[in-house]
Amino acid sequence: MKIKAINPNTTLEMTENIGRVADRYTQDTTEIIAVSPERGPVSIESYYDDYLAVPGLLEEILTAEDDIDAFIVACWGDPGIEACREVTDKPVVGIAEASMYMANMLGAKFSVATILPRARDFIEAAVKKTGMESNCASVRCTDLTVIETETAREATIEGLLEVSWEAIEEDGAEVICLGCAGMGGLDEALEAELPVPVIDSVGAAAVLAESLVTLGKSTSSVMTYKRPESKLQRGYPDHFQFSDESPTADD
Amino acid sequence: MKIKAINPNTTLEMTENIGRVADRYTQDTTEIIAVSPERGPVSIESYYDDYLAVPGLLEEILTAEDDIDAFIVACWGDPGIEACREVTDKPVVGIAEASMYMANMLGAKFSVATILPRARDFIEAAVKKTGMESNCASVRCTDLTVIETETAREATIEGLLEVSWEAIEEDGAEVICLGCAGMGGLDEALEAELPVPVIDSVGAAAVLAESLVTLGKSTSSVMTYKRPESKLQRGYPDHFQFSDESPTADD
Amino acid sequence: MKIKAINPNTTLEMTENIGRVADRYTQDTTEIIAVSPERGPVSIESYYDDYLAVPGLLEEILTAEDDIDAFIVACWGDPGIEACREVTDKPVVGIAEASMYMANMLGAKFSVATILPRARDFIEAAVKKTGMESNCASVRCTDLTVIETETAREATIEGLLEVSWEAIEEDGAEVICLGCAGMGGLDEALEAELPVPVIDSVGAAAVLAESLVTLGKSTSSVMTYKRPESKLQRGYPDHFQFSDESPTADD
Amino acid sequence: MKIKAINPNTTLEMTENIGRVADRYTQDTTEIIAVSPERGPVSIESYYDDYLAVPGLLEEILTAEDDIDAFIVACWGDPGIEACREVTDKPVVGIAEASMYMANMLGAKFSVATILPRARDFIEAAVKKTGMESNCASVRCTDLTVIETETAREATIEGLLEVSWEAIEEDGAEVICLGCAGMGGLDEALEAELPVPVIDSVGAAAVLAESLVTLGKSTSSVMTYKRPESKLQRGYPDHFQFSDESPTADD
Amino acid sequence: MKIKAINPNTTLEMTENIGRVADRYTQDTTEIIAVSPERGPVSIESYYDDYLAVPGLLEEILTAEDDIDAFIVACWGDPGIEACREVTDKPVVGIAEASMYMANMLGAKFSVATILPRARDFIEAAVKKTGMESNCASVRCTDLTVIETETAREATIEGLLEVSWEAIEEDGAEVICLGCAGMGGLDEALEAELPVPVIDSVGAAAVLAESLVTLGKSTSSVMTYKRPESKLQRGYPDHFQFSDESPTADD
Amino acid sequence: MKIKAINPNTTLEMTENIGRVADRYTQDTTEIIAVSPERGPVSIESYYDDYLAVPGLLEEILTAEDDIDAFIVACWGDPGIEACREVTDKPVVGIAEASMYMANMLGAKFSVATILPRARDFIEAAVKKTGMESNCASVRCTDLTVIETETAREATIEGLLEVSWEAIEEDGAEVICLGCAGMGGLDEALEAELPVPVIDSVGAAAVLAESLVTLGKSTSSVMTYKRPESKLQRGYPDHFQFSDESPTADD
């Protein structure tokens, strides 16, 4: 099977890491194709970055080869995931939701350890959207930018350890979700220091995407995630235009 | 004072109507500038349309003249409004939130009468984001497209009457919010037939935007709605790029 | 237009300040009539005060001149506002709800800075009733009585600054609502010291009342806010008695 | 022990029935004193009635003999009960809360069968205030006025049977709470026809008030239900005035 | 009347204390029969203990004499109470729910003071199940085991005082519920030191069970608490087997 | 890897089907060991059945061979799953939670199609415990017993189709979760008739259990799911006894 893991930002080092992590946890027969959009922010830290990233993210689905079996949206916050689900009926898995489901099976309460304080509202919105609010002990922010999670691994581990301990001791967290795709691959280093499981959100999404394909499931297109109406998307290239005749990306 | 009312879709007839309604309810000394983005969908009916509309919407704020005092986002769903609030410290008012606040002061429960069934989830997400869930009796969808609300006024009134009566009699609605910018100007025709107040969401946003300016308020930039970090937005024009030196749109 | 701003307590200095603030933010053509009931507590700090204030508050609506266009209930807690809405179909705006709506458009989370600790439950009940619970970061109490907010302005500013900083730094507040009508007019002094917008609740109610009149709206009388049934209100003066023949205050 | 059961409306036939029911379920050594205030509405069906009833209700506590051990507020909606708890440290039990607690121990979900449709919001507010929202299957209104529940017993039973069946069959109710003090004494007639327990709310409050006295408990006066501050209650008789020296009603 | 108070653990000293407390608060004509199951854990501190206790608890109901009028489940957490309600139509009262109802009538917010930290989730689950979440200020754990609450009364008082003060001062608790049956009889010693009412949960359940009998109520058997279907319970003694012919324990 | 799938009831035909389904969706290198406890009900349809099933279920974990990598609890309702997580640190996955996570990634709202009406409360409790309440459109019951789901496959399909259509058309369901382990293997037959994805809950649990092992995760034992305290479990065999020296099942 082929899974396309889309890093919605345009920093290729992060994309490579995402691919590596997804590949590590999936079966040998599963091919991971990790990509970044052509356009969009080099990192997603604000709602502004988030919204500017989505058209490029959608483009990666709209122009995907026919033989892709599932998609991963590799930004904690699952930006634009509802729109992704409209334009393909292949399963689309967000790393935020995936990590919370895994966490919820391992402990009574989880916390999200993440980047800059300004992202808190954005992160909390993802928790709410997924419906996991009552099981989330806290969102704990560090001072790390997204880029630093990739380029300053030691500082990232240090920052995450600090807020994870706070989450465990003050908020009652029993599991930690790593709240940024750039933190992919750090779960083991953290588990070596912490008394709780740590969820690599990219890894969680990879195995869940694979699972949905194995179960033979497609996204529901009966209502909310129906194919978009045929209409002009002014100023966007042809592959963004849906027409009555055009098939969806995966018909 | 100058208020820029942005219709996030690219249908100019709707933009004109939005301008007319906003002008009608604001003071003589308030100038309404109604615009549509250069790019984006001709109507917003899906999450896909919603996300493709936001970059154009943001562009209208990023390139706004310095003397704009407030912005209106004229699509029920308040798409991208968090990002709008990051790029300007002038007040930004969404027509969804504005109409719900007004409704909440006039009756114990309100319903939203809106377009196609597929928009229900999108509309409900706006209700939740605003925090008005417990006062919302129901979201009632018609079979109307966004364009029809503008071009087929009689059919629109008919469709809205039908679902409004259902909301009143079955769901306990005591106020109706018109859940689409294209329905601007229809409140009086509906109130002539219905026993409850009907909120013109565009009108509600116009008076609220004016009110915030009168009160002398700016958007909070202490945390969530801080100016976006300086970084490359690949593939976007210069006016989308924030740099450390660049002022915000309204400094 | 004429707006009657009712201070439900019987301290006239506070009434005058309320009138001044409401007048400051409304149009020149809007006349503000600020009044206190003949009977009731000199300040509202407990549920007891609250309930003893309501009959006098209702009396001010029941005996209002015919040409009043809207009413303001100027006590954070919006005491008796449901009953007010039953006895008139002119819009009635509470300062609690008004300030929360304004706050909700300016930041992701707001806190209420208010009087004595004992009022916390009363204040929280107002937040819940309005439906704004999920957007309220905290209610922060000072040691100030209602009267002191009017008579000891320096101490009031000091007390409010202290709890506002706590709300911002510990609770994540991005906007502050001033949780007492006696604090009317203090927003600017506080904004000079704080990094967030501060909402003058009386000002917020004034512009919202004006807005509802501008939009041409009446309170819904289809169900909850129907005119009270005709019956004997034993021990109350004539103007409290509804009979089948009697018109409502504003027919 | 002596329990004062206060019917907050001024219809004495109802007061007598309330006394009879409370007496029936309490011990021989418990004396029930059933009273109505001197002033207030003859029935409580709107928020207006509710607020006008509270001063008279408070007066019955403020002027109560020293040897009263507990109070009952006999109106479904528990009007003014927070204020009652401020002015006495003897337990105060509302019939709404009491009936919901009993119902919650007998079935997985309960419904409230009550009076006129306009009371729905008022009744739902009582459910929320008590915190029982998630266990309440529905509020089902009849066309009965409060007075009719007392004077037209056959019609009342018929009306209650009709909505109770709807609650059981359509809403999943497993217990019915009788949502009006005037319905006191009807539980047995209804249980003869219905397959579920029916809670006589007055009876429930009587045994709970007795229980709290037996347990030796007083109302908490540490914060919310502290004695009201000393201040002038303009236009109210002397017994409404709290002064620094005056003891509370039950010191 | 006869009330069977079942201590679901197998520590007889605790059972005796439970009987003593229940007896103290019930009428002279009420006989309390305090028992422990034959099998089950000596104390309930984990979900594991909880689930192993339930079959023994059910056995005490299944084999109860016909003349029992009500049952008490004397473990804070109300383990297995839904199943208890299926096998008898006599009222079954849990000490957790009973204490929360009493607390809710005495203060605006209550906290639960309880045993070991590991029980927090278990205790919180009981609060949620009862529907009292919004009125619960906090769950405060001590370092006490269940057995210590019975055998080390001084240390228990000390531990409870410490966390009760924290609940009052930091969480806003106005009432304390004693969150373990072993704490029965300690309310007075705690009230002597604390400024708030303290609820003896066993006492609360005893008076509520008596109250339900006095009101003449049975558990609803229309749906959720129907008698279990006739089927083989492999490996359980005869009295656990329901057959189509067999009466329920109390038919 | 080895996964032990425990059918908590004692009907072996169902156990075999569970094993078959779990095997079908897991990798060739994954061995599924499907078992039933020695004791417990032949089917779980009431809380009574549920509680009597748990000791046998726990026994299957307590006596599991050392080389088991993960456990599945194959009853929709996830009975006793918290206790299971205390006695092993290998991942434990419930079929209820697993199916809801899968459903939540495929549609905006899901419904659960399940057995007898009496199970509704039990099923809803599982939804709440998992935290998925806000995404659950409805629980729809059939007239099927658990045994019939296994022995009367045609009638089961028919019953499920009927309630699934109701869920889709009346409740807005976009995905259906099969709410009983006995329905394992029916998803394809239902998807052939329905316009939405149907989740085989056993299959979902199987791939999730495999996923957690692949990610290398253990259950958190820092707090709630700590190993039970050492104490006597009276009347239970030796393997139920935890002592200070004894290792956990999987040390």
Side-chain angles (χ1 to χ4, degrees):
Chain A
M1 105 181 52
K2 276 192 188 170
I3 296 174
K4 187 169 185 176
I6 310 172
N7 171 17
N9 76 34
T10 52
T11 295
L12 297 183
E13 295 85 331
M14 195 175 301
T15 311
E16 277 164 34
N17 184 33
I18 288 166
R20 227 170 11 242
V21 171
D23 198 55
R24 175 173 168 199
Y25 292 114
T26 45
Q27 303 177 38
D28 292 347
T29 53
T30 296
E31 183 186 350
I32 300 292
I33 302 159
V35 299
S36 273
E38 303 241 330
R39 55 169 162 188
V42 294
S43 65
I44 300 179
E45 292 163 334
S46 60
Y47 280 106
Y48 182 71
D49 297 340
D50 173 55
Y51 280 102
L52 292 189
V54 175
L57 162 64
L58 288 168
E59 200 164 19
E60 289 299 325
I61 298 180
L62 289 166
T63 62
E65 318 254 313
D66 283 358
D67 61 349
I68 298 295
D69 294 293
F71 295 90
I72 293 171
V73 176
C75 171
W76 224 99
D78 301 347
I81 200 161
E82 306 92 339
C84 296
R85 287 176 176 147
E86 289 172 342
V87 300
T88 175
D89 59 18
K90 300 299 168 58
V92 183
V93 176
I95 67 170
E97 57 184 0
S99 63
M100 290 187 273
Y101 298 149
M102 293 304 184
N104 213 28
M105 288 186 285
L106 297 173
K109 286 261 159 63
F110 66 85
S111 284
V112 186
T114 189
I115 54 161
L116 301 173
R118 76 165 300 152
R120 174 185 302 281
D121 192 71
F122 179 70
I123 295 291
E124 288 180 352
V127 177
K128 268 196 206 176
K129 181 165 72 176
T130 309
M132 280 286 143
E133 213 176 350
S134 62
N135 300 308
C136 178
S138 61
V139 172
R140 283 275 177 176
C141 296
T142 58
D143 287 322
L144 298 157
T145 64
V146 169
I147 298 297
E148 284 168 339
T149 64
E150 207 61 64
T151 59
R153 300 294 268 189
E154 280 314 305
T156 298
I157 288 172
E158 216 169 294
L160 289 171
L161 282 176
E162 189 184 331
V163 299
S164 294
W165 276 115
E166 290 168 359
I168 295 165
E169 293 180 347
E170 294 171 34
D171 311 330
E174 306 186 2
V175 187
I176 299 294
C177 289
L178 295 181
C180 176
M183 297 166 184
L186 294 181
D187 59 328
E188 288 181 355
L190 291 163
E191 285 190 349
E193 304 287 328
L194 295 170
V196 301
V198 176
I199 308 297
D200 183 324
S201 303
V202 175
V207 291
L208 280 186
E210 205 175 36
S211 293
L212 283 165
V213 176
T214 299
L215 292 173
K217 296 300 150 192
S218 303
T219 296
S220 181
S221 58
V222 74
M223 182 57 66
T224 303
Y225 300 143
K226 261 185 192 167
R227 174 181 147 165
E229 276 69 23
S230 164
K231 72 182 57 161
L232 176 62
Q233 300 287 346
R234 210 181 299 274
Y236 282 95
D238 272 8
H239 48 263
F240 279 98
Q241 312 297 331
F242 279 84
S243 69
D244 289 340
E245 303 78 37
S246 76
T248 61
D250 37 47
D251 270 357
Chain B
M1 109 181 47
K2 277 192 187 170
I3 296 175
K4 187 168 184 178
I6 311 171
N7 170 18
N9 76 34
T10 52
T11 296
L12 297 183
E13 295 85 331
M14 196 176 299
T15 311
E16 276 164 35
N17 184 33
I18 288 166
R20 227 170 12 242
V21 171
D23 197 56
R24 173 173 169 200
Y25 291 115
T26 45
Q27 303 177 36
D28 292 347
T29 54
T30 297
E31 184 186 349
I32 299 293
I33 302 160
V35 300
S36 273
E38 303 240 330
R39 54 170 163 188
V42 295
S43 65
I44 300 180
E45 291 163 335
S46 60
Y47 280 106
Y48 181 71
D49 297 340
D50 173 55
Y51 280 102
L52 292 189
V54 175
L57 162 65
L58 288 167
E59 201 163 19
E60 288 299 325
I61 298 181
L62 289 166
T63 61
E65 318 254 315
D66 284 358
D67 60 349
I68 298 295
D69 295 293
F71 296 90
I72 291 171
V73 177
C75 171
W76 224 99
D78 301 347
I81 200 161
E82 307 92 339
C84 296
R85 287 177 176 146
E86 290 173 341
V87 300
T88 175
D89 58 19
K90 301 299 168 58
V92 183
V93 176
I95 66 169
E97 56 183 359
S99 63
M100 289 188 273
Y101 298 149
M102 293 304 183
N104 213 28
M105 289 186 284
L106 297 174
K109 287 260 160 62
F110 66 86
S111 285
V112 185
T114 188
I115 55 162
L116 300 173
R118 77 165 299 154
R120 172 186 302 282
D121 192 69
F122 179 70
I123 295 290
E124 287 179 354
V127 176
K128 269 197 204 174
K129 181 165 71 175
T130 309
M132 280 285 143
E133 213 175 350
S134 63
N135 300 307
C136 178
S138 61
V139 172
R140 284 274 177 175
C141 296
T142 58
D143 287 324
L144 297 157
T145 64
V146 168
I147 298 296
E148 284 167 338
T149 64
E150 207 61 63
T151 58
R153 301 294 269 188
E154 280 314 303
T156 299
I157 288 172
E158 218 170 294
L160 290 171
L161 282 176
E162 189 185 331
V163 299
S164 295
W165 276 114
E166 290 168 0
I168 294 165
E169 292 179 347
E170 294 172 34
D171 312 328
E174 306 186 1
V175 187
I176 299 294
C177 290
L178 296 180
C180 176
M183 297 166 184
L186 295 181
D187 59 328
E188 288 182 355
L190 291 163
E191 286 191 349
E193 304 287 328
L194 295 169
V196 301
V198 177
I199 308 296
D200 182 324
S201 303
V202 175
V207 291
L208 279 185
E210 205 176 35
S211 292
L212 283 165
V213 176
T214 299
L215 291 172
K217 296 301 150 191
S218 303
T219 296
S220 181
S221 57
V222 75
M223 182 57 66
T224 303
Y225 300 143
K226 261 186 192 167
R227 176 182 147 165
E229 276 68 24
S230 165
K231 72 183 55 161
L232 177 61
Q233 300 288 345
R234 211 180 297 274
Y236 282 95
D238 272 8
H239 48 263
F240 278 98
Q241 312 297 330
F242 279 85
S243 70
D244 289 340
E245 303 79 35
S246 77
T248 61
D250 36 47
D251 270 356
Chain C
M1 107 181 49
K2 276 193 186 168
I3 295 174
K4 187 168 184 178
I6 310 172
N7 170 17
N9 76 34
T10 53
T11 296
L12 298 183
E13 294 85 332
M14 195 175 302
T15 311
E16 276 165 34
N17 185 34
I18 287 166
R20 225 165 18 237
V21 171
D23 197 55
R24 175 174 168 200
Y25 292 114
T26 44
Q27 302 177 37
D28 291 347
T29 53
T30 296
E31 183 185 351
I32 300 292
I33 301 161
V35 299
S36 273
E38 303 240 331
R39 54 170 164 188
V42 294
S43 64
I44 299 179
E45 292 163 333
S46 60
Y47 280 106
Y48 181 71
D49 297 339
D50 173 56
Y51 280 101
L52 293 190
V54 174
L57 162 64
L58 289 167
E59 201 163 18
E60 289 299 324
I61 298 180
L62 290 166
T63 61
E65 317 254 314
D66 284 358
D67 60 350
I68 299 295
D69 293 293
F71 296 90
I72 292 170
V73 176
C75 171
W76 223 99
D78 301 348
I81 200 161
E82 306 93 339
C84 296
R85 286 175 176 147
E86 289 172 342
V87 299
T88 177
D89 58 19
K90 301 299 167 57
V92 182
V93 176
I95 66 169
E97 56 183 1
S99 63
M100 289 188 273
Y101 299 149
M102 291 305 183
N104 213 28
M105 288 186 284
L106 297 173
K109 287 263 161 60
F110 65 85
S111 285
V112 186
T114 188
I115 55 161
L116 299 173
R118 76 165 300 153
R120 172 184 304 282
D121 192 70
F122 179 70
I123 295 290
E124 288 179 353
V127 176
K128 269 197 205 175
K129 180 165 72 176
T130 309
M132 281 284 143
E133 215 176 348
S134 62
N135 300 308
C136 179
S138 61
V139 171
R140 285 274 177 175
C141 295
T142 59
D143 288 323
L144 298 157
T145 64
V146 168
I147 298 297
E148 283 167 338
T149 64
E150 207 62 64
T151 59
R153 301 293 269 188
E154 280 315 303
T156 298
I157 288 172
E158 218 169 296
L160 289 171
L161 282 176
E162 189 184 330
V163 299
S164 294
W165 276 114
E166 290 169 358
I168 294 166
E169 292 180 346
E170 294 172 33
D171 311 330
E174 306 186 1
V175 187
I176 299 294
C177 290
L178 295 180
C180 176
M183 296 166 184
L186 295 181
D187 58 330
E188 287 182 354
L190 291 163
E191 285 191 349
E193 303 288 328
L194 295 169
V196 301
V198 176
I199 308 296
D200 182 325
S201 304
V202 175
V207 291
L208 280 185
E210 205 175 35
S211 292
L212 283 165
V213 176
T214 299
L215 292 172
K217 297 300 151 193
S218 303
T219 296
S220 180
S221 57
V222 76
M223 182 58 66
T224 304
Y225 300 143
K226 261 186 192 167
R227 175 181 146 164
E229 276 69 24
S230 164
K231 73 182 56 163
L232 176 62
Q233 301 287 346
R234 211 180 298 273
Y236 283 95
D238 272 8
H239 47 263
F240 279 99
Q241 313 297 329
F242 280 85
S243 69
D244 289 340
E245 304 79 36
S246 77
T248 60
D250 36 47
D251 269 356
Chain D
M1 114 181 41
K2 276 193 188 169
I3 296 174
K4 187 168 184 177
I6 310 171
N7 170 17
N9 76 34
T10 52
T11 296
L12 297 183
E13 295 85 331
M14 195 176 300
T15 311
E16 276 165 34
N17 184 34
I18 288 166
R20 223 165 21 236
V21 171
D23 198 55
R24 175 173 168 201
Y25 292 114
T26 45
Q27 302 177 36
D28 292 347
T29 54
T30 296
E31 183 185 351
I32 300 291
I33 302 160
V35 299
S36 273
E38 303 240 329
R39 55 171 164 186
V42 294
S43 65
I44 299 179
E45 293 163 333
S46 61
Y47 280 106
Y48 181 72
D49 296 340
D50 173 55
Y51 280 102
L52 292 189
V54 175
L57 162 64
L58 289 167
E59 200 163 20
E60 288 299 325
I61 298 180
L62 290 166
T63 62
E65 317 255 314
D66 283 358
D67 61 349
I68 298 296
D69 294 292
F71 296 90
I72 292 171
V73 177
C75 171
W76 225 99
D78 301 346
I81 200 161
E82 307 92 339
C84 296
R85 287 177 176 146
E86 289 172 341
V87 300
T88 177
D89 58 18
K90 301 299 168 58
V92 183
V93 176
I95 67 170
E97 57 183 359
S99 64
M100 289 188 273
Y101 299 149
M102 292 304 183
N104 213 28
M105 289 185 285
L106 297 174
K109 288 261 160 60
F110 65 85
S111 285
V112 186
T114 189
I115 54 161
L116 300 173
R118 75 165 301 152
R120 173 184 302 282
D121 191 71
F122 179 70
I123 295 290
E124 288 180 354
V127 176
K128 269 197 205 176
K129 181 165 72 175
T130 308
M132 281 285 142
E133 214 176 348
S134 62
N135 300 308
C136 178
S138 61
V139 172
R140 284 275 178 176
C141 295
T142 59
D143 287 323
L144 297 157
T145 65
V146 169
I147 298 297
E148 283 167 339
T149 65
E150 207 61 64
T151 58
R153 300 295 268 190
E154 280 315 304
T156 298
I157 288 172
E158 217 169 295
L160 290 170
L161 282 176
E162 188 184 332
V163 298
S164 294
W165 276 114
E166 289 168 0
I168 294 165
E169 294 179 346
E170 294 171 33
D171 311 329
E174 305 186 2
V175 187
I176 299 294
C177 288
L178 296 180
C180 176
M183 297 166 184
L186 294 182
D187 58 328
E188 288 182 354
L190 292 163
E191 285 190 348
E193 304 288 328
L194 295 170
V196 301
V198 177
I199 308 297
D200 183 323
S201 304
V202 175
V207 292
L208 279 186
E210 205 176 35
S211 292
L212 283 166
V213 176
T214 299
L215 293 173
K217 297 300 151 193
S218 302
T219 296
S220 180
S221 58
V222 74
M223 182 58 65
T224 303
Y225 300 144
K226 263 186 191 167
R227 174 181 148 165
E229 276 69 22
S230 165
K231 72 182 57 162
L232 177 61
Q233 301 287 346
R234 210 180 299 273
Y236 282 95
D238 272 8
H239 48 263
F240 279 99
Q241 313 297 330
F242 280 84
S243 69
D244 289 339
E245 304 77 37
S246 77
T248 61
D250 35 48
D251 270 355
Chain E
M1 105 180 51
K2 277 193 187 169
I3 296 174
K4 187 168 185 177
I6 310 171
N7 170 16
N9 76 34
T10 52
T11 295
L12 297 183
E13 296 85 330
M14 196 175 300
T15 311
E16 277 165 35
N17 184 33
I18 288 165
R20 224 166 17 237
V21 171
D23 197 55
R24 173 172 169 201
Y25 292 114
T26 45
Q27 302 178 37
D28 292 347
T29 54
T30 297
E31 183 185 350
I32 300 292
I33 302 159
V35 300
S36 273
E38 303 241 330
R39 55 171 163 187
V42 295
S43 65
I44 299 179
E45 292 162 334
S46 60
Y47 280 107
Y48 182 71
D49 297 339
D50 173 55
Y51 279 103
L52 292 189
V54 175
L57 162 64
L58 289 168
E59 201 163 20
E60 289 299 324
I61 298 180
L62 290 166
T63 62
E65 317 254 313
D66 284 358
D67 61 350
I68 298 294
D69 295 292
F71 296 90
I72 292 171
V73 177
C75 171
W76 225 99
D78 301 346
I81 200 162
E82 307 92 339
C84 297
R85 288 178 176 145
E86 289 172 342
V87 300
T88 176
D89 59 18
K90 301 297 168 61
V92 183
V93 176
I95 67 169
E97 57 183 0
S99 64
M100 290 188 273
Y101 300 149
M102 292 303 183
N104 212 28
M105 289 186 284
L106 296 174
K109 287 259 159 63
F110 65 85
S111 284
V112 186
T114 189
I115 55 162
L116 300 174
R118 76 165 299 152
R120 174 185 302 282
D121 192 70
F122 179 70
I123 295 290
E124 287 180 354
V127 176
K128 269 196 206 177
K129 180 166 71 175
T130 309
M132 281 285 142
E133 213 176 348
S134 62
N135 300 308
C136 179
S138 61
V139 172
R140 284 274 178 177
C141 296
T142 59
D143 288 323
L144 298 157
T145 64
V146 169
I147 298 297
E148 284 168 338
T149 64
E150 206 62 65
T151 58
R153 300 295 268 190
E154 280 314 303
T156 299
I157 289 172
E158 216 168 296
L160 289 171
L161 281 177
E162 189 183 331
V163 299
S164 295
W165 277 115
E166 290 168 359
I168 295 165
E169 292 179 347
E170 294 171 33
D171 312 330
E174 306 186 1
V175 187
I176 299 295
C177 289
L178 295 180
C180 176
M183 297 167 184
L186 295 182
D187 59 327
E188 288 182 353
L190 291 163
E191 286 191 349
E193 303 288 327
L194 294 170
V196 302
V198 176
I199 308 297
D200 182 323
S201 303
V202 176
V207 291
L208 280 185
E210 205 176 36
S211 292
L212 283 165
V213 176
T214 300
L215 292 172
K217 297 301 150 191
S218 303
T219 295
S220 180
S221 58
V222 75
M223 181 57 65
T224 303
Y225 300 143
K226 261 185 192 167
R227 175 182 148 164
E229 276 68 23
S230 164
K231 71 183 58 163
L232 177 61
Q233 301 287 346
R234 210 180 299 272
Y236 282 95
D238 272 8
H239 48 263
F240 279 99
Q241 312 297 330
F242 279 84
S243 70
D244 288 340
E245 305 77 37
S246 78
T248 61
D250 34 49
D251 270 356
Chain F
M1 109 181 47
K2 276 193 187 168
I3 295 174
K4 187 168 184 177
I6 311 170
N7 170 16
N9 76 34
T10 53
T11 295
L12 297 182
E13 295 86 331
M14 195 175 301
T15 311
E16 277 164 35
N17 184 33
I18 288 165
R20 226 168 16 239
V21 171
D23 197 56
R24 174 174 169 200
Y25 292 114
T26 45
Q27 303 177 37
D28 291 348
T29 54
T30 297
E31 183 185 349
I32 299 292
I33 302 159
V35 299
S36 273
E38 302 240 330
R39 55 171 162 186
V42 295
S43 64
I44 300 179
E45 292 163 333
S46 61
Y47 280 106
Y48 181 71
D49 298 338
D50 173 54
Y51 280 102
L52 292 188
V54 175
L57 162 64
L58 289 167
E59 201 163 20
E60 288 298 325
I61 298 181
L62 290 165
T63 61
E65 317 255 313
D66 284 357
D67 61 349
I68 298 294
D69 295 292
F71 296 90
I72 292 172
V73 176
C75 172
W76 225 98
D78 301 346
I81 199 161
E82 307 91 340
C84 297
R85 287 176 176 147
E86 289 172 342
V87 300
T88 175
D89 58 19
K90 300 299 167 59
V92 183
V93 176
I95 67 169
E97 56 184 0
S99 63
M100 289 187 273
Y101 299 150
M102 293 305 184
N104 213 28
M105 289 186 284
L106 297 173
K109 287 261 159 63
F110 65 85
S111 285
V112 186
T114 188
I115 55 161
L116 299 173
R118 75 164 302 153
R120 173 185 302 283
D121 192 71
F122 179 70
I123 295 290
E124 288 179 353
V127 176
K128 269 196 205 176
K129 181 166 70 175
T130 309
M132 280 286 143
E133 213 176 349
S134 63
N135 300 308
C136 179
S138 61
V139 172
R140 283 275 178 176
C141 295
T142 60
D143 287 324
L144 298 157
T145 65
V146 168
I147 298 298
E148 284 167 338
T149 65
E150 207 63 64
T151 58
R153 300 294 268 189
E154 280 315 303
T156 299
I157 289 172
E158 217 169 296
L160 290 171
L161 282 176
E162 188 184 332
V163 299
S164 294
W165 277 114
E166 289 169 359
I168 294 165
E169 293 180 346
E170 294 173 32
D171 312 329
E174 306 186 1
V175 187
I176 299 295
C177 289
L178 295 180
C180 176
M183 297 166 184
L186 295 181
D187 57 329
E188 288 182 354
L190 291 163
E191 285 191 350
E193 303 289 327
L194 295 169
V196 301
V198 176
I199 307 296
D200 182 324
S201 303
V202 176
V207 291
L208 279 186
E210 205 176 35
S211 293
L212 282 165
V213 176
T214 299
L215 292 173
K217 297 300 150 193
S218 303
T219 296
S220 181
S221 58
V222 75
M223 182 57 65
T224 303
Y225 300 143
K226 262 186 193 165
R227 175 182 147 164
E229 275 69 23
S230 164
K231 72 182 58 161
L232 177 60
Q233 301 287 347
R234 211 181 299 273
Y236 283 95
D238 272 8
H239 47 263
F240 279 98
Q241 312 297 329
F242 280 84
S243 69
D244 289 339
E245 304 77 39
S246 76
T248 60
D250 36 46
D251 270 355

